[in-house]
Amino acid sequence: MDEETMAVALEATGDYRVLRKIQQRRIITPPDGAPTKNGLFVDVETTGLDPDRHEIIELAMAPFTYSKDGRIYTIGEPFQQLHEPKDPISAEITAITGITQDMVRGRKLDSHVVEAFMESADLIVAHNANFDRRFLENFSPAFEMKPWACSIQQVDWRSEGFEGTRLGYLVAGAGFFYDRHRAQNDCYAAIELLAKPLPFSGVPAFRQLLENARKATWRIWASHAPFELKDALRERGYKWNSGGNGTLRAWFIDVDEDKREAELTFLQNEIYQREIDLPMRRIDAYTRFSNRI
C-alpha cells in the first residue's frame, strides 16, 4: 500500500486528518484559453516591524497567472534574494526568520533588478500587504505604482470557518503544510492556498480576494471626536491612529463606497450631534495599504 492510499484510508475512518506537504508545481489549473493577467506574490523578511527604521533582509517574489474570475493557472520562476542590513540582525529576528548575519553578509538587493522583475505585474499580493507594501515602497517607488491586494484582509477567512489568519494556520486548515520561515516558501504556500476553494462558499479564495481588491472604500477620520465617546467609536469598528508621518491623530474607519453616507450620518447624529465637515479619502487598490495612506 503506497503512502497516499494509506492517507486516504486513515482519513476515511473519521479519526485522522492527514496533512500533505506542498509540492512546488508550475501548473495549478491547466490553461483553457481564457484571458489571463499577471499576479505577483511578494513576501519580505525584515529586521523589525517599523519600515522607517528597519530593513528588508530577504525578498521573494513569485509570479503567477490568473483569470478575471479568480482562477490561478500557472506559477512562474521566482525571485529570491537576501540583503545585508546596516545594523546586525538580532537573535530574535534570526529565531523568527531563520536568517543569520553570516547568510546575508555581502548580499545586496539591486533595485533595478527588482523593478525589472515586477514590471509586468498587473496585481501585487501579500499576506499582510499593510506590512510588505510599506517596506517595499521604501525600497523602491515602483511599488507605489502597482495595485495591491492582501490575502489576510481581503478574504473573509472567519466566515469560512477559520479562527485565525496566520499563513501557517490557514495552510494547515486547508490540509497541507510547508517548510516555513523563508520568504519564497511563504509565497508558494500562499498561492496554493488562494487557488483552493473555500470550505463553505466553495469559490476559490483568490476570487474573493479579487472582488474585494476591486472595491473602492472611503477612509473617514473622526477628527476631534469627544473623548467620552471613544468606546462608541471602538464598538463600531473605528481604530485609533496616534499620528506621525503626516497622518491625523484621530479615530478612523474604512467603509465601502455605498456605506459612506450612512457612516457620516452616524457620526453627525451620535458623535458630534451637529453638522461637521470631516476629512475623508477615497481608497482603491493603487493606494490601499500604502505609505501614502
Side-chain angles (χ1 to χ4, degrees):
M1 184 180 295
D2 60 33
E3 291 88 347
E4 182 60 24
T5 302
M6 288 189 289
V8 171
L10 285 171
E11 290 178 324
T13 67
D15 295 325
Y16 298 91
R17 187 161 181 263
V18 179
L19 299 183
R20 291 162 174 82
K21 187 174 183 179
I22 292 176
Q23 302 298 321
Q24 293 184 7
R25 52 181 177 157
R26 294 292 180 227
I27 298 177
I28 303 293
T29 302
D32 55 7
T36 61
K37 290 192 171 185
N38 297 319
L40 187 68
F41 204 99
V42 302
D43 187 64
V44 297
E45 303 293 350
T46 67
T47 57
L49 301 177
D50 186 345
D52 294 322
R53 294 191 302 114
H54 300 122
E55 293 183 74
I56 295 171
I57 54 176
E58 184 180 32
L59 167 62
M61 301 184 287
F64 62 96
T65 60
Y66 66 93
S67 63
K68 184 178 179 179
D69 62 1
R71 287 172 292 164
I72 293 177
Y73 286 96
T74 61
I75 302 176
E77 288 290 336
F79 172 97
Q80 185 275 332
Q81 181 64 60
L82 294 167
H83 178 78
E84 183 178 8
K86 296 182 180 70
D87 298 321
I89 299 173
S90 69
E92 179 183 7
I93 294 300
T94 294
I96 294 171
T97 65
I99 300 173
T100 67
Q101 193 67 35
D102 286 341
M103 291 169 62
V104 301
R105 188 167 289 113
R107 304 288 189 93
K108 294 295 178 184
L109 277 170
D110 186 324
S111 61
H112 298 294
V113 174
V114 171
E115 289 162 6
F117 191 92
M118 54 83 74
E119 183 178 10
S120 64
D122 297 303
L123 178 69
I124 298 178
V125 188
H127 199 69
N128 192 6
N130 195 47
F131 178 83
D132 295 76
R133 180 167 192 171
R134 294 170 67 204
F135 272 95
L136 286 169
E137 285 185 347
N138 282 352
F139 173 74
S140 168
F143 285 96
E144 296 180 1
M145 309 308 294
K146 297 289 186 178
W148 281 68
C150 179
S151 54
I152 285 182
Q153 295 191 34
Q154 293 178 314
V155 178
D156 191 353
W157 298 108
R158 186 168 295 277
S159 70
E160 296 288 341
F162 295 90
E163 296 180 356
T165 57
R166 293 180 67 89
L167 184 57
Y169 172 82
L170 293 171
V171 165
F176 55 97
F177 70 98
Y178 67 104
D179 295 327
R180 298 170 61 187
H181 300 308
R182 296 303 301 272
Q184 182 174 312
N185 293 340
D186 286 346
C187 290
Y188 278 124
I191 293 171
E192 290 280 358
L193 177 69
L194 290 172
K196 287 186 174 295
L198 292 165
F200 293 159
S201 64
V203 303
F206 192 67
R207 181 183 300 178
Q208 190 180 112
L209 178 146
L210 278 181
E211 291 172 352
N212 288 320
R214 290 168 180 150
K215 293 178 182 177
T217 58
W218 282 85
R219 176 159 294 182
I220 302 173
W221 295 89
S223 181
H224 304 294
F227 177 79
E228 62 272 17
L229 295 178
K230 67 180 187 306
D231 290 338
L233 290 169
R234 186 184 293 112
E235 288 174 8
R236 193 170 173 89
Y238 282 74
K239 300 176 182 177
W240 174 251
N241 185 69
S242 57
N245 296 322
T247 61
L248 290 173
R249 180 180 171 85
W251 292 93
F252 73 92
I253 194 170
D254 293 334
V255 297
D256 290 343
E257 198 158 27
D258 59 358
K259 296 179 180 178
R260 181 181 64 150
E261 292 306 319
E263 197 60 37
L264 293 174
T265 299
F266 161 78
L267 289 169
Q268 177 178 305
N269 294 340
E270 304 297 331
I271 302 300
Y272 297 99
Q273 298 181 1
R274 60 186 173 87
E275 290 188 8
I276 186 168
D277 186 18
L278 294 172
M280 295 180 289
R281 179 167 182 172
R282 189 178 184 273
I283 300 172
D284 60 19
Y286 285 90
T287 54
R288 194 174 288 122
F289 315 118
S290 172
N291 282 324
R292 292 166 290 166
I293 297 296

